[in-house]
Amino acid sequence: MTLPTLHTLKNGVRVVCDPMPGLETLALTVVAGRGAGYEDPARSGWSHLLEHMVFKGAGGRSARDIVEVIEAEGGSINAATGYERTSFQVRALKGGAGLAMAVIADLVRRPTLDAGDLAREKQVVAQEIAEAADAPDDYVFDLLQKGAWGDHPVGRPILGTVDSVEAATPQALAEWRAALYAADRLVISATGAVDEAEILALAQSAFGDLPATPGAPIPDPAPFVGGAFAETRKLEQAHLVLMLPAAGSRDDDYFALRVFAEALGGGMSSRLFQEAREKRGLAYNIDAYADTYADIGGLGIYVGCAAKDAAETARVCAEQVLALVERIEPAELARCKAQLKAHMFMAREQPLARAEQNAGQALTFGKLFPPAELAAGVDAVTAEDITRLGRRMLDPARAATAVLGAKTALSAGEIFRRTLFDGR
């Protein structure tokens, strides 16, 4: 089996090459290990705005040219901004690595940042902000983010605000681009029908002369502050997001958190699905998830239910958390491990997901993990680990809750807290 390799150029740019024999396509992603979590309030939303702006023109190509030159060869191009990283991604047919690298290098290094384009794109982003506010199952997560992480950059929406986005100028965005996409936290990751020697040569040609200057400094990890947000809206459903402080990707409890979330609400056999949906009929959508960053994380629960059932559903969620902290059955633990490993290996069969995973490992750990090592981490989780992690999450008696819906739903966050903590 061919294993991925990790190389570092002289200027600090890292290159991951991960061939997948038998494929006729490839994925190339260039990941800058900085994002919205690095912004101060005045630049809130600028990382996302910049990601939009580089597609308006770069390296002498127009916005249309950037897309057409990739699609003319059967490929596709996309980008994404998160709190800890910004990714530029191309899927292409075998042999398309050179064009993909050239186009992404132009986006990252040589965007036009035209004033007229910026004025128009501010309007587009303002509409995106309005759309997110109008979508309750998006907006409730923004409320939750604020409740969990407070005034830290991770507590602010990735999109920013209309005012903060409006303040951006071409020159200010150019300076932010240099800080955001600096060589010290840039990873080029290629997967699929790729050749290691070719990828290294392309990376050196496209990024080897990038100045080795440090970019925006890594912010201190966000403390989990815990907070409650509830807003009345005329909706058919109430939307609830409930979170407890947990573990980050570099934490020894990371795998225990993933198993805990899987057991609580990861699938149709999970406790929340069986108790809240199948047994009680309280909710159609209900799941639990591990929301992890490098050094911080949370255990989250999302529920969409009738407003009249919101408080009872929140109580059931808290009860299931408490019950899981006390005991996980051996068969349940084994099933959750099997599910996690299946998700992991299935993702490894998708070139783009694999390229992004490799880039994330290089950024967070400075190395790559063989799938067998990750699987061993999952297998090593014990029932005692689940209990210890659960008590750790409950120990500060802090939770973040966000509720959106009719007035009858707004007590759900308080019910969740009271059920979890008042008996302690």
Side-chain angles (χ1 to χ4, degrees):
M1 181 179 67
T2 304
L3 295 176
T5 55
L6 175 62
H7 306 265
T8 304
L9 305 184
K10 289 182 178 180
N11 59 358
V13 173
R14 282 164 283 189
V15 184
V16 180
C17 189
D18 189 5
M20 299 173 69
L23 266 65
E24 293 298 321
T25 65
L26 63 89
L28 177 72
T29 181
V30 176
V31 181
R34 295 181 174 90
Y38 287 69
E39 298 167 347
D40 56 46
R43 289 184 285 205
S44 181
W46 284 23
S47 302
H48 172 259
L49 175 64
L50 178 60
E51 176 226 305
H52 275 225
M53 279 300 299
V54 302
F55 280 91
K56 298 305 169 187
R61 294 186 181 91
S62 68
R64 182 166 184 165
D65 291 340
I66 290 169
V67 176
E68 284 190 346
V69 72
I70 293 292
E71 293 186 351
E73 299 299 323
S76 61
I77 187 167
N78 206 347
T81 301
Y83 286 104
E84 293 187 319
R85 64 192 65 155
T86 308
S87 301
F88 297 91
Q89 310 152 347
V90 170
R91 291 297 317 276
L93 294 172
K94 186 177 182 178
L99 176 62
M101 187 78 76
V103 172
I104 294 180
D106 283 341
L107 297 179
V108 171
R109 302 193 58 188
R110 290 173 284 274
T112 306
L113 301 181
D114 175 77
D117 288 336
L118 179 57
R120 288 185 290 272
E121 202 59 27
K122 286 177 181 179
Q123 295 179 332
V124 172
V125 173
Q127 291 304 308
E128 190 175 359
I129 292 170
E131 181 181 3
D134 284 344
D137 50 351
D138 285 340
Y139 181 63
V140 72
F141 280 94
D142 284 342
L143 293 179
L144 185 280
Q145 205 75 14
K146 174 72 171 176
W149 311 113
D151 293 329
H152 190 277
V154 176
R156 295 194 289 266
I158 288 173
L159 300 181
T161 67
V162 172
D163 288 342
S164 63
V165 168
E166 183 59 37
T169 65
Q171 179 58 36
L173 273 187
E175 294 171 0
W176 186 237
R177 183 206 62 79
L180 205 67
Y181 305 159
D184 62 330
R185 292 190 60 76
L186 206 64
V187 176
I188 301 162
S189 182
T191 306
V194 295
D195 174 77
E196 183 175 4
E198 180 191 17
I199 294 299
L200 278 173
L202 290 171
Q204 179 62 44
S205 176
F207 291 94
D209 64 337
L210 187 65
T213 53
I218 299 174
D220 292 333
F224 188 96
V225 296
F229 288 88
E231 289 189 16
T232 303
R233 282 203 186 178
K234 291 182 179 180
L235 299 171
E236 293 298 319
Q237 274 196 319
H239 297 268
L240 287 63
V241 190
L242 315 164
M243 180 171 281
L244 295 171
S249 299
R250 290 196 279 235
D251 195 293
D252 290 342
D253 279 332
Y254 171 76
F255 288 112
L257 173 61
R258 294 291 305 275
V259 173
F260 196 108
E262 185 69 28
L264 183 64
M268 294 175 66
S269 63
S270 68
R271 295 189 178 205
L272 289 179
F273 190 95
Q274 288 297 314
E275 185 68 21
R277 175 172 164 165
E278 296 297 282
K279 184 177 178 179
R280 299 173 183 255
L282 292 171
Y284 175 70
N285 286 323
I286 185 164
D287 61 73
Y289 60 96
D291 186 26
T292 57
Y293 307 91
D295 296 306
I296 59 173
L299 172 75
I301 300 169
Y302 168 75
V303 181
C305 64
K308 65 180 179 62
D309 294 325
E312 177 65 10
T313 306
R315 185 182 64 79
V316 169
C317 290
E319 289 175 346
Q320 292 303 310
V321 169
L322 292 172
L324 184 55
V325 171
E326 289 305 312
R327 179 173 173 79
I328 185 170
E329 298 296 334
E332 181 182 22
L333 179 60
R335 182 175 66 248
C336 292
K337 291 179 179 181
Q339 285 292 307
L340 283 176
K341 288 186 290 184
H343 298 329
M344 182 189 310
F345 292 133
M346 288 175 187
R348 296 290 299 175
E349 295 174 358
Q350 302 171 33
L352 182 56
R354 185 157 160 165
E356 288 283 339
Q357 184 185 84
N358 289 339
Q361 290 177 2
L363 283 167
T364 304
F365 300 98
K367 64 177 183 178
L368 304 177
F369 294 92
E373 187 173 343
L374 298 177
V378 173
D379 283 332
V381 175
T382 66
E384 291 75 19
D385 292 331
I386 297 298
T387 295
R388 177 178 45 76
L389 170 66
R391 290 173 180 167
R392 168 185 169 181
M393 292 189 294
L394 295 173
D395 180 64
R398 287 197 300 272
T401 61
V403 182
L404 203 60
K407 283 186 177 180
T408 51
L410 301 190
S411 64
E414 178 57 30
I415 296 296
F416 181 72
R417 279 187 181 76
R418 193 184 308 158
T419 306
L420 280 178
F421 303 131
D422 278 6
R424 301 174 64 224

